[in-house]
Amino acid sequence: MSDYDYDLFVIGAGSGGVRASRIASSYGAKVAVAEEYRVGGTCVIRGCVPKKLLVFGSHFAEDLEDAQNYGWEIEGTKFSWQVLRDRVLGDVDRLNAAYKSTLNNHNVTIIEERATIIAPHRVKLASGQEISAKYILIAVGARPYVPEFPGSEHCLTSNEMFHLEELPRRAVIAGGGYIANEFAGILNGLGTRVTVVNRGDTILRGYDESLRDRLLQISMTKGIEFKFKAPFEKIEKREDGTLDVFLKGQDPINTDIVMMATGRVPNVEGLGLEHVGITTDDQGAIPVDEYSKTACDSIYAVGDVTNRVQLTPVAIREGQAFADTVFGGTPKTVDYNCIPTAVFSQPPIASVGLTEGEARNRYGNIRVYSADFRPMRNVFAHRAERGLYKMITEEPSGKILGLHMIGPDSPEILQAAAIAVKAGLTKQAFDDTVALHPSMAEELVLMK
């Protein structure tokens, strides 16, 4: 008989926590997972999955317009935000149930209340019950960060955007990262007048400069307004419910909503880390070693709460590696090199490996190949929007250091190409591959 109630107690049933729970259970561990809100975590409940559905929905505005050039006569079209919103939330319900079913099928006990750490092998539930476990895994993720300034209480975050009663006529979005640009594209596509406000001087910091510039150009052509070097001073609410946004060095903006997309912070408040000697880093994240172990030998952490790479597939890999290491007897770590990423802007961006600037700084002698083209569909639809693919190689070996794309379906195309970059293939390997014609993907093997 075990000296503990459970072999593993997981706090947080997001992507990393769910994967760790079911894999540990498959190794024979007795597992419980506590979740205070809904099973599935940020990605499934309030992040990448419902957001991607909104991207699909918003893009029909352009698709219906382009359809006329393909012979379709479409009359009487209208859009209902409430229908799209409710269908998206309905799919979230479906996924929440599916995640619960997965855990139940793997004999994982689901505890639907908050849990906090009170000792190296002990947690306390919101109901007051205390539970012991040989190991504790922290997988509580992160939350949107809202800076404090006069009127900041009037701001929304990405969490609330999926529950809006009405589609706003005007929206101010604060931030320059992927969340800001994705929601700017969504709202703009649905007919909202969007202003993106950034305290810095660029969008999508960390992505290749050429792609950032191309997205900015296309977004402005679509009607999205950008204001750079414009920190918030205050927000005032009028009697009619609209908001006056005051920015440094800018004229005030009257808007219906203000959405903050200014980063995410780990969910560590009130977790009880002080009871087990765990101190967070300067970003508020939990430090861990390569096996996801914290400063307390019985406690591990995975996912966004560790602030290594805040991506759902990374959290899943970390949860898997933890379970394999601790319960499977096969120590495993996660390789963080060449992780493909995407921004589901309109058009989307996809990237893997080093940017041109990073490669030049690290290797010096590099070569840049590119394909700047107008997708066939856009040509026929009389849409001027152009795609751009870039490949960065080390010279003289020709090894591919980075691959960056903006254009329709770029994330779908990059996933396969990322395998080649991860495997260390050369530009010659792409040159030796016959093009698949006609397709946008063929530009990958035709770049000069």
Side-chain angles (χ1 to χ4, degrees):
M1 296 291 292
S2 173
D3 294 332
Y4 304 100
D5 297 321
Y6 292 95
D7 299 308
L8 173 64
F9 192 96
V10 180
I11 305 177
S15 298
V18 168
R19 174 59 65 91
S21 297
R22 70 176 186 83
I23 298 302
S25 181
S26 72
Y27 285 130
K30 185 180 180 182
V31 182
V33 57
E35 174 55 59
E36 65 178 328
Y37 182 51
R38 305 184 78 184
V39 175
T42 293
C43 179
V44 170
I45 305 301
R46 65 189 80 82
C48 43
V49 171
K51 174 200 64 188
K52 185 72 176 291
L53 294 174
L54 292 184
V55 170
F56 287 147
S58 66
H59 208 280
F60 275 102
E62 286 188 1
D63 293 340
L64 290 170
E65 181 180 317
D66 291 349
Q68 299 176 56
N69 291 298
Y70 286 87
W72 290 92
E73 294 184 9
I74 302 173
E75 299 179 359
T77 59
K78 63 179 182 179
F79 171 72
S80 169
W81 164 253
Q82 288 77 14
V83 170
L84 176 59
R85 178 200 63 197
D86 292 347
R87 289 294 304 274
V88 169
L89 294 179
D91 202 58
V92 169
D93 291 340
R94 176 187 67 82
L95 291 169
N96 175 62
Y99 271 64
K100 283 186 175 181
S101 178
T102 296
L103 290 173
N104 287 327
N105 291 339
H106 285 82
N107 300 314
V108 175
T109 300
I110 303 174
I111 301 172
E112 298 187 58
E113 54 183 301
R114 182 177 176 83
T116 56
I117 299 169
I118 58 176
H121 298 280
R122 205 162 190 84
V123 300
K124 185 176 183 179
L125 304 180
S127 60
Q129 179 185 358
E130 295 186 10
I131 295 175
S132 63
K134 185 175 182 180
Y135 295 100
I136 297 171
L137 177 66
I138 302 170
V140 294
R143 67 181 186 279
Y145 168 71
V146 178
E148 292 187 7
F149 57 86
S152 62
E153 68 273 12
H154 300 306
C155 297
L156 305 176
T157 70
S158 55
N159 289 355
E160 293 80 44
M161 295 299 291
F162 303 104
H163 302 274
L164 294 175
E165 289 296 322
E166 303 286 342
L167 184 69
R169 292 185 302 109
R170 301 160 303 173
V172 169
I173 300 178
Y178 70 94
I179 295 175
N181 283 278
E182 288 170 344
F183 273 99
I186 290 168
L187 291 175
N188 177 72
L190 296 177
T192 299
R193 182 178 176 182
V194 178
T195 302
V196 177
V197 175
N198 192 357
R199 65 182 301 166
D201 59 359
T202 186
I203 63 171
L204 295 176
R205 187 178 57 198
Y207 279 84
D208 191 87
E209 184 176 357
S210 299
L211 272 63
R212 301 193 320 241
D213 291 345
R214 180 62 57 89
L215 178 62
L216 180 62
Q217 172 192 351
I218 293 173
S219 297
M220 293 173 65
T221 300
K222 291 177 183 288
I224 299 173
E225 185 177 1
F226 290 82
K227 293 184 181 295
F228 294 105
K229 295 184 178 180
F232 279 72
E233 292 184 339
K234 63 179 178 178
I235 296 176
E236 294 180 351
K237 190 171 186 178
R238 295 186 181 182
E239 290 185 3
D240 63 1
T242 64
L243 303 173
D244 287 322
V245 179
F246 295 86
L247 307 169
K248 186 175 182 179
Q250 302 280 341
D251 293 332
I253 304 171
N254 183 245
T255 186
D256 298 302
I257 66 167
V258 177
M259 173 190 160
M260 283 287 159
T262 48
R264 296 176 63 81
V265 292
N267 277 321
V268 295
E269 287 77 7
L271 195 55
L273 300 180
E274 68 277 6
H275 297 144
V276 290
I278 297 175
T279 303
T280 57
D281 63 17
D282 293 340
Q283 285 74 46
I286 297 176
V288 293
D289 67 12
E290 61 181 334
Y291 294 102
S292 295
K293 182 189 289 188
T294 70
C296 180
D297 285 345
S298 60
I299 300 178
Y300 290 70
V302 298
D304 291 359
V305 75
T306 67
N307 201 25
R308 288 175 282 190
V309 178
Q310 290 191 347
L311 292 172
T312 295
V314 173
I316 292 172
R317 287 289 182 101
E318 290 171 351
Q320 175 85 43
F322 157 78
D324 289 340
T325 298
V326 176
F327 296 99
T330 53
K332 290 184 181 177
T333 59
V334 176
D335 183 359
Y336 296 97
N337 290 318
C338 281
I339 296 175
T341 62
V343 181
F344 293 100
S345 49
Q346 299 187 31
I349 285 174
S351 181
V352 65
L354 302 180
T355 66
E356 179 180 348
E358 290 170 340
R360 203 173 297 282
N361 289 336
R362 187 176 304 184
Y363 289 91
N365 189 17
I366 66 168
R367 184 169 178 180
V368 178
Y369 300 86
S370 65
D372 191 332
F373 62 97
R374 197 170 162 203
M376 181 179 178
R377 173 174 171 169
N378 288 354
V379 173
F380 196 76
H382 305 297
R383 190 173 294 278
E385 188 176 301
R386 299 180 66 85
L388 175 64
Y389 294 176
K390 284 183 66 174
M391 179 183 290
I392 296 96
T393 64
E394 179 191 20
E395 293 302 308
S397 70
K399 178 183 176 181
I400 301 172
L401 301 175
L403 189 58
H404 312 280
M405 310 164 64
I406 181 170
D409 298 322
S410 288
E412 306 293 343
I413 298 169
L414 183 82
Q415 178 65 84
I419 299 171
V421 179
K422 179 72 172 177
L425 298 187
T426 64
K427 174 68 164 59
Q428 189 62 50
F430 277 66
D431 293 343
D432 292 342
T433 303
V434 175
L436 195 162
H437 181 77
S439 71
M440 290 178 292
E442 70 179 310
E443 299 293 341
L444 289 173
V445 301
L446 300 176
M447 280 190 275
K448 303 296 184 183

